[in-house]
Amino acid sequence: MRVNRKYSCLPAEEKGIHIINIRAIEDIGYDQHESTLLNSLSKNPDADCKYGLYFRDGKRKVDYILVYHYKKSSAGKTLARRAQQNDASVQSTKQDQPLPGKGVQLEMGESEPHMDYHEDDKRFRREEYEGNLVEAGLELERDEDTKIHGIGFVKIHAPWNVLCREAEFLKLKMPTKKMYQINQTHGLLKKINSVIQKITEPIQPKVAEHKPQTVKRLSYPFSREKQHLFDLSDKDSFFDSKTRSTIVYEILKRTTCTKAKYSMGITSLLANGVYSAAYPLHDGDYEGENVEPNDRKLLCEEWASYGVFYKYQPIDLVRKYFGEKIGLYFAWLGVYTQMLIPASIVGIIVFLYGCATVDENIPSMEMCDQRNNITMCPLCDKTCSYWKMSSACATARASHLFDNPATVFFSVFMALWAATFMEHWKRKQMRLNYRWDLTGFEEEEDHPRAEYEAKVLEKSLRKEHKHKETDKEKLTWKDRFPAYLTNFVGIIFMVGLTFAIVFGVIIYRISTAAALAISSTPSGRSSVRVTVTATAVIINLVVIIILDEVYGCIARWLTQIEVPKTDKNFEERLIFKAFLLKFVNAYTPIFYVAFFKGRFVGRPGDYVYIFHSFRMEECAPGGCLMELCIQLSIIMLGKQLIQNNLFEIGIPKMKKFIRYLKLKRRRSLDHEEHMKKKQRYEVDYNLEPFAGLTPEYMEMIIQFGFVTLFVASFPLAPLFALLNNIIEIRLDAKKFVTELRRPVAVRAKDIGIWYNILRGIGKLAVIINAFVISFTSDFIPRLVYLYMYSENGTMHGFVNHTLSSFNVSDFQAGTAPNDPLDLGYEVQICRYKDYREPPWSENKYDISKDFWAVLAARLAFVIVFQNLVMFMSEFVDWIIPDIPKDISQQIHKEKVLMVEVFMREEQGKLQMLETWKDKDKRKGENCNNHSPRLSRSRSGSLSSCHSYPLDV
């Protein structure tokens, strides 16, 4: 294969066995001690290349790294080390060398280790692929003399002409020489903005990118023909490290390896183990003494530190270092966290209102009044006895904290908050698009994934085997039908599994309540309900956390067998499946308590049984809202604390410790390698690979559901979400800066499918909160009683109105309490919560008219609440423009300025052409004024004069 002279090797550190004849070294008899002395006196080459950030010449920057595994025997390793000791004398006669293993035959004979077929195949593919990269214009340098034994690194540098070519292909908007003034506010708004800037100055990050800009460079898609428009005074910094790595990655994806009928880009080579990793380098170290200033260090100090939790995020610097897609995620997370502040304040006010009015709440006062002497029917058959309603006093008082008129207002407020949040984010997104020069950016078709290419290749090979002439193959729905069927069956099975687990927890609650009722002391029986609820919720929490991890893996597997064509299609399908499974997993227990518990109980003497022995659960006398609050708070807080924080901190630390132990064992095998300082690409290789933003978005979307879907039962949910997010931002930032390899920068102008999911949750929240207020809380029954049945216009008598009577003589055989005198007196009539006819009525125990009146009121409330709030949300959506007015004006101004620039350029060209024509005309006149002989002698120059403007 042809070797490009740019395809250079390591002058001093490589395992360069191919460069020289090993036998010649042995004949020379180089003394090792002399060689060591010479090496110690020479200059440290690692310092020249800034420990891996540059090529060995110290000038060409490393833009990307390819990592591969190789096998080498101990004999080969010893010979290689001896070869390196003599490498200085050889390099003086040979400046540019090919990569090891290319173009030069080894003369080791029996010393060359035997490589198996798979290793040879991988090596051949690497050779061809790297040769194609060189032909594409990239410059490569290999390093196998590293501290990590058996790992080789290929450093990639993109020269200026390649960067310009690819920037034009990718239509990258780059800043031009033209600068313009950004429109500034005037008058009162200017004074208000200056006051706000002074107040918020202590919470602003100390980075140059975050300071308010008064001027902006005009941006235009890069073009090699119009390089004069751009500020190329410093070519080294014109394309920053993020842009350079993006350009190299595009070339890596586009370049193929076609040996043995394979057409493989970098994604296929990684999937098949030809390369083990591919990543851009971090800018340098972020801690330690004598660390040069770099963006990574600045991000660590001003962003990825818990000490700056109160400051704004340096979003522009995050975008500059990680790219637009990651920058948009952290910008969205910051906007979401800011919007949680007013929601938290209102939630605290609603909670405090409940605390302040609990002693004035007549229904809870009636339940706590022991003089009422209301005897309730048993909660279970035989083992449970009659009980006094006053024993549930604490539960009734606690229910009022969350079940009061203010929660209705809070539900409306949160629905409007969700709509305002979405509009605010759209406006913020447009501001970022303008600042980051993404206006007019459209995502293009991505390269096919490795798995898709492999499937297409397999299909084409099958058809070739059958001797059929085929065009370019692609996967059809028939090819994917087995995968679609597996997806459908798998998702149905997983949803069914979640329902089965919830049903199992219901059985646990029923059986545990009966067991505790038997064994508990009279004083302990009052806490049976709270004990059972708390333990069941903890079981639900553990199951949810475990199933979350399982469902994440299953969703990825189901998406993989579908073989989506592009990474974008893969990501969208994965998000849909993972969100569906995790949504069902997280919210099924809460939906059960909110809408199903206590709805299908039956009545005393005619209860509904599970397995003919377990009675369905009943709600407490104060309603199921308190239990829903307990369920929601424990699952939300536990999920955030354990899964989102402890897992994110603990698992990376554990993986890092395991990698440290492995490296320590390797270092003990080779002390000489241990003494060398690590290169930048070696340090980054030991970091965790970037796995995408899907897990980060997913946990925030699930949290958004907790904040909005059941907020009527837990007004403090926004507060706990706010506290979690303050930690989450810095935790994610620290992970991206210090624990992950630098991801490839991806251009994006929005957050993609996540925005649609957020809008869907916002719409669903209105419906669910309407049903929670209407059917789970006692808000509607209280209104119905107050305006239809109350004799004096107050809530006195409401508790008695919601209770029906039951004659104990009507118990089914074997279901009456074993100890009917447990309360100290004989019970003839017990009460239960329902709207039914009394036992002395003609239609005893039938549903009463009060039930239908309350049901009609509940349904009417759902319809009115839902339509009213939806209308208000749409009104907020309509009244707030998606694009801020000042940004719209600036975008228009940019277009006008760009037209002016090109018009001036065209006018300049026309003037120059006119000048050339005038000069040519004057030359022609001068030629005609000479003698004929002189004119004839200069006929050649005359013709050239006339031809010049035509060439121009």
Side-chain angles (χ1 to χ4, degrees):
M1 182 180 295
R2 181 178 65 84
V3 179
N4 194 307
R5 290 185 61 84
K6 294 178 183 178
Y7 207 165
S8 62
C9 70
L10 304 181
E13 294 291 324
E14 69 182 272
K15 299 275 184 180
I17 306 172
H18 66 289
I19 297 176
I20 50 181
N21 190 316
I22 301 300
R23 294 197 184 99
I25 297 179
E26 294 174 350
D27 293 339
I28 293 172
Y30 223 110
D31 184 36
Q32 186 174 359
H33 297 288
E34 295 175 7
S35 173
T36 306
L37 180 61
L38 289 172
N39 287 337
S40 65
L41 293 174
S42 63
K43 190 176 180 180
N44 182 11
D46 289 342
D48 293 339
C49 66
K50 295 187 179 180
Y51 294 98
L53 287 173
Y54 288 82
F55 275 23
R56 287 296 177 182
D57 57 14
K59 298 177 181 178
R60 292 174 292 174
K61 189 174 183 179
V62 177
D63 298 320
Y64 219 86
I65 291 291
L66 299 179
V67 188
Y68 61 92
H69 291 272
Y70 68 93
K71 292 183 180 179
K72 183 169 288 189
S73 66
S74 58
K77 187 176 178 181
T78 305
L79 291 169
R81 192 173 292 122
R82 292 182 63 185
Q84 289 165 14
Q85 295 169 2
N86 296 275
D87 200 40
S89 61
V90 177
Q91 292 298 326
S92 62
T93 61
K94 197 167 188 178
Q95 297 297 326
D96 289 327
Q97 298 289 345
L99 278 170
K102 291 179 68 71
V104 181
Q105 296 295 328
L106 297 177
E107 298 184 19
M108 291 175 57
E110 67 279 2
S111 298
E112 173 66 17
H114 181 265
M115 308 282 285
D116 60 15
Y117 168 76
H118 293 292
E119 289 298 321
D120 285 340
D121 182 59
K122 289 179 182 179
R123 180 161 54 86
F124 291 148
R125 292 191 203 174
R126 283 199 297 268
E127 289 175 1
E128 183 194 357
Y129 183 70
E130 289 163 9
N132 292 339
L133 291 180
V134 171
E135 292 178 359
L138 298 178
E139 298 177 4
L140 311 182
E141 186 176 81
R142 178 173 288 172
D143 185 6
E144 291 184 355
D145 184 28
T146 63
K147 295 182 72 174
I148 308 175
H149 182 64
I151 301 292
F153 296 89
V154 177
K155 296 176 277 187
I156 303 177
H157 168 77
W160 173 255
N161 61 324
V162 174
L163 292 173
C164 293
R165 181 191 71 205
E166 297 298 322
E168 186 173 349
F169 290 167
L170 295 174
K171 301 176 183 176
L172 295 180
K173 274 192 171 183
M174 304 302 295
T176 63
K177 296 176 183 177
K178 175 70 176 177
M179 301 182 72
Y180 67 94
Q181 194 80 16
I182 298 176
N183 292 339
Q184 301 293 322
T185 54
H186 300 284
L188 182 62
L189 284 177
K190 185 176 181 180
K191 293 181 180 179
I192 294 173
N193 287 338
S194 63
V195 171
I196 293 174
Q197 286 180 4
K198 289 180 180 178
I199 294 174
T200 59
E201 187 176 356
I203 60 175
Q204 300 290 345
K206 298 177 181 178
V207 297
E209 286 78 3
H210 198 77
K211 294 179 181 178
Q213 303 293 327
T214 57
V215 293
K216 186 178 183 293
R217 286 189 180 274
L218 194 63
S219 295
Y220 184 73
F222 188 83
S223 172
R224 286 172 289 180
E225 295 179 354
K226 299 184 182 299
Q227 286 194 32
H228 58 278
L229 293 177
F230 302 93
D231 184 11
L232 303 180
S233 56
D234 186 6
K235 290 185 177 181
D236 292 336
S237 62
F238 183 73
F239 295 105
D240 57 17
S241 59
K242 164 186 69 72
T243 308
R244 297 175 70 100
S245 63
T246 302
I247 288 173
V248 173
Y249 183 63
E250 287 296 322
I251 298 175
L252 292 176
K253 287 197 296 183
R254 191 175 65 230
T255 306
T256 57
C257 168
T258 57
K259 276 189 177 178
K261 291 190 177 180
Y262 283 97
S263 178
M264 308 178 74
I266 186 61
T267 52
S268 301
L269 294 172
L270 288 170
N272 287 278
V274 179
Y275 291 103
S276 57
Y279 51 88
L281 292 179
H282 280 292
D283 279 358
D285 292 324
Y286 60 89
E287 61 183 358
E289 298 180 0
N290 302 323
V291 176
E292 293 185 4
N294 58 73
D295 287 343
R296 188 187 187 194
K297 185 175 185 294
L298 187 60
L299 281 172
C300 188
E301 293 171 352
E302 293 295 327
W303 182 50
S305 172
Y306 295 110
V308 294
F309 72 92
Y310 59 92
K311 289 187 176 183
Y312 286 101
Q313 298 182 85
I315 292 299
D316 292 322
L317 185 59
V318 174
R319 173 255 178 179
K320 177 186 173 185
Y321 193 77
F322 291 110
E324 286 80 5
K325 192 170 185 178
I326 293 176
L328 281 172
Y329 163 70
F330 282 103
W332 173 83
L333 185 56
V335 169
Y336 172 46
T337 304
Q338 289 176 10
M339 289 293 292
L340 283 172
I341 295 175
S344 302
I345 294 172
V346 177
I348 292 172
I349 293 173
V350 169
F351 178 74
L352 293 177
Y353 171 81
C355 295
T357 58
V358 66
D359 292 329
E360 301 172 5
N361 183 40
I362 295 175
S364 60
M365 291 170 60
E366 288 184 346
M367 290 181 64
C368 294
D369 191 357
Q370 297 185 0
R371 294 173 297 178
N372 287 335
N373 197 26
I374 299 176
T375 304
M376 303 297 293
C377 295
L379 296 174
C380 60
D381 292 342
K382 294 191 294 185
T383 55
C384 298
S385 185
Y386 304 105
W387 55 285
K388 289 289 188 68
M389 175 173 276
S390 57
S391 64
C393 175
T395 307
R397 290 174 62 86
S399 295
H400 179 72
L401 301 179
F402 307 101
D403 187 6
N404 56 68
T407 57
V408 180
F409 157 76
F410 191 56
S411 298
V412 177
F413 171 81
M414 287 304 294
L416 299 178
W417 172 88
T420 307
F421 162 59
M422 301 304 294
E423 291 303 309
H424 179 44
W425 166 244
K426 280 196 288 188
R427 290 169 64 85
K428 177 71 172 179
Q429 195 169 250
M430 281 305 303
R431 289 188 182 277
L432 294 177
N433 285 344
Y434 165 71
R435 262 182 14 217
W436 296 350
D437 298 322
L438 292 171
T439 52
F441 167 71
E442 294 294 336
E443 294 184 14
E444 297 180 357
E445 182 82 13
D446 202 359
H447 297 278
R449 297 175 62 248
E451 293 81 358
Y452 181 85
E453 288 183 338
K455 281 286 184 183
V456 170
L457 176 64
E458 182 183 338
K459 182 180 178 181
S460 61
L461 289 176
R462 276 201 311 267
K463 292 200 172 184
E464 283 181 15
H465 183 68
K466 295 178 181 178
H467 306 288
K468 290 184 179 180
E469 293 293 332
T470 58
D471 297 330
K472 188 175 180 180
E473 293 292 339
K474 64 179 182 179
L475 297 184
T476 62
W477 70 269
K478 292 181 180 178
D479 300 317
R480 291 193 173 106
F481 180 74
Y484 290 153
L485 184 62
T486 306
N487 270 260
F488 178 76
V489 174
I491 291 175
I492 294 297
F493 175 76
M494 292 303 145
V495 172
L497 176 64
T498 304
F499 290 162
I501 291 173
V502 172
F503 184 72
V505 174
I506 294 171
I507 299 297
Y508 161 80
R509 292 158 68 115
I510 296 170
S511 57
T512 305
L516 290 177
I518 298 172
S519 59
S520 297
T521 59
S523 59
R525 289 176 189 171
S526 59
S527 61
V528 166
R529 191 183 295 274
V530 176
T531 304
V532 171
T533 300
T535 55
V537 172
I538 292 172
I539 293 172
N540 272 328
L541 174 63
V542 173
V543 170
I544 286 172
I545 292 174
I546 294 173
L547 286 184
D548 251 3
E549 303 301 321
V550 174
Y551 286 169
C553 297
I554 290 174
R556 180 168 291 275
W557 175 75
L558 290 175
T559 309
Q560 286 172 347
I561 64 174
E562 280 189 56
V563 197
K565 183 176 181 180
T566 63
D567 286 329
K568 184 179 180 181
N569 292 340
F570 180 88
E571 186 179 27
E572 289 180 350
R573 295 186 185 194
L574 173 62
I575 289 170
F576 173 75
K577 294 181 184 65
F579 174 74
L580 177 62
L581 292 174
K582 292 189 177 187
F583 182 89
V584 172
N585 181 42
Y587 295 112
T588 299
I590 300 172
F591 270 93
Y592 164 72
V593 174
F595 303 122
F596 297 99
K597 185 178 179 181
R599 309 292 172 193
F600 312 102
V601 177
R603 60 170 180 81
D606 188 20
Y607 283 114
V608 176
Y609 289 90
I610 305 174
F611 303 135
H612 303 287
S613 56
F614 296 107
R615 261 171 50 183
M616 288 293 291
E617 288 185 288
E618 298 181 43
C619 288
C624 278
L625 197 69
M626 184 61 198
E627 191 169 339
L628 177 61
C629 174
I630 295 173
Q631 184 105 4
L632 185 66
S633 58
I634 292 179
I635 290 178
M636 179 183 176
L637 297 178
K639 202 171 184 304
Q640 289 184 348
L641 180 65
I642 297 173
Q643 191 173 24
N644 296 358
N645 293 331
L646 291 184
F647 280 13
E648 286 195 16
I649 297 173
I651 291 178
K653 294 287 185 186
M654 186 172 64
K655 289 181 178 179
K656 193 174 181 181
F657 181 69
I658 292 172
R659 286 196 304 270
Y660 169 76
L661 293 179
K662 289 181 179 179
L663 290 174
K664 192 175 181 182
R665 186 168 65 250
R666 286 175 179 171
R667 289 171 187 169
S668 63
L669 297 176
D670 197 332
H671 180 70
E672 183 179 338
E673 291 183 356
H674 175 60
M675 298 306 294
K676 296 184 300 183
K677 183 177 178 179
K678 276 188 175 182
Q679 304 287 339
R680 176 79 262 154
Y681 43 85
E682 295 178 74
V683 176
D684 287 3
Y685 177 71
N686 292 324
L687 299 176
E688 278 290 302
F690 176 62
L693 290 171
T694 300
E696 314 298 336
Y697 272 115
M698 188 66 72
E699 64 184 64
M700 288 296 104
I701 297 297
I702 296 295
Q703 184 204 83
F704 182 77
F706 283 123
V707 169
T708 55
L709 291 179
F710 296 94
V711 74
S713 62
F714 190 40
L716 296 179
L719 173 64
F720 289 113
L722 173 65
L723 298 176
N724 174 80
N725 287 6
I726 291 173
I727 301 172
E728 181 74 21
I729 289 175
R730 306 304 165 180
L731 184 64
D732 284 349
K734 197 171 187 66
K735 180 172 68 176
F736 273 82
V737 173
T738 65
E739 295 177 2
L740 295 180
R741 293 176 192 161
R742 188 174 183 177
V744 180
V746 178
R747 287 188 297 168
K749 64 178 182 179
D750 52 41
I751 60 175
I753 193 175
W754 297 109
Y755 182 80
N756 297 328
I757 293 176
L758 285 168
R759 284 188 65 87
I761 291 177
K763 303 290 185 186
L764 184 62
V766 176
I767 301 171
I768 289 179
N769 280 308
F771 277 94
V772 167
I773 295 170
S774 182
F775 286 89
T776 308
S777 74
D778 282 339
F779 178 73
I780 298 302
R782 287 172 185 167
L783 286 182
V784 172
Y785 177 78
L786 186 64
Y787 293 106
M788 291 182 63
Y789 300 103
S790 177
E791 296 178 355
N792 52 6
T794 64
M795 293 301 296
H796 288 288
F798 169 73
V799 173
N800 187 61
H801 177 75
T802 59
L803 298 177
S804 299
S805 301
F806 177 75
N807 193 329
V808 298
S809 61
D810 294 330
F811 272 123
Q812 291 181 352
T815 61
N818 294 333
D819 186 10
L821 299 177
D822 184 58
L823 294 178
Y825 56 87
E826 184 179 359
V827 177
Q828 295 181 348
I829 299 293
C830 65
R831 310 295 296 275
Y832 61 99
K833 189 169 184 179
D834 204 348
Y835 291 101
R836 291 183 179 270
E837 297 290 343
W840 51 83
S841 173
E842 295 181 1
N843 303 315
K844 65 177 183 178
Y845 308 135
D846 285 350
I847 294 175
S848 64
K849 294 180 180 179
D850 299 344
F851 172 84
W852 299 112
V854 171
L855 180 61
R858 281 173 164 164
L859 294 175
F861 176 82
V862 168
I863 295 171
V864 172
F865 181 89
Q866 176 184 334
N867 286 280
L868 177 64
V869 175
M870 287 284 191
F871 170 77
M872 294 171 69
S873 300
E874 293 297 327
F875 180 74
V876 169
D877 193 356
W878 172 76
I879 202 172
I880 301 177
D882 294 346
I883 304 177
K885 186 178 180 181
D886 59 326
I887 297 298
S888 179
Q889 292 173 350
Q890 298 288 2
I891 293 173
H892 178 70
K893 186 177 181 180
E894 276 196 351
K895 292 179 180 178
V896 173
L897 288 173
M898 187 56 66
V899 170
E900 289 180 1
V901 168
F902 284 118
M903 290 296 293
R904 286 175 185 171
E905 185 181 0
E906 290 297 321
Q907 290 172 0
K909 288 180 180 178
L910 290 173
Q911 289 175 0
M912 189 178 297
L913 194 60
E914 291 293 331
T915 304
W916 285 342
K917 286 182 178 179
D918 292 341
K919 287 182 179 179
D920 180 61
K921 189 175 181 180
R922 284 195 297 269
K923 283 183 180 180
E925 291 175 354
N926 292 334
C927 290
N928 292 330
N929 292 332
H930 289 296
S931 63
R933 183 170 54 86
L934 187 62
S935 178
R936 283 195 299 273
S937 68
R938 294 190 177 181
S939 60
S941 62
L942 183 63
S943 62
S944 65
C945 288
H946 285 290
S947 65
Y948 185 71
L950 295 177
D951 293 339
V952 174

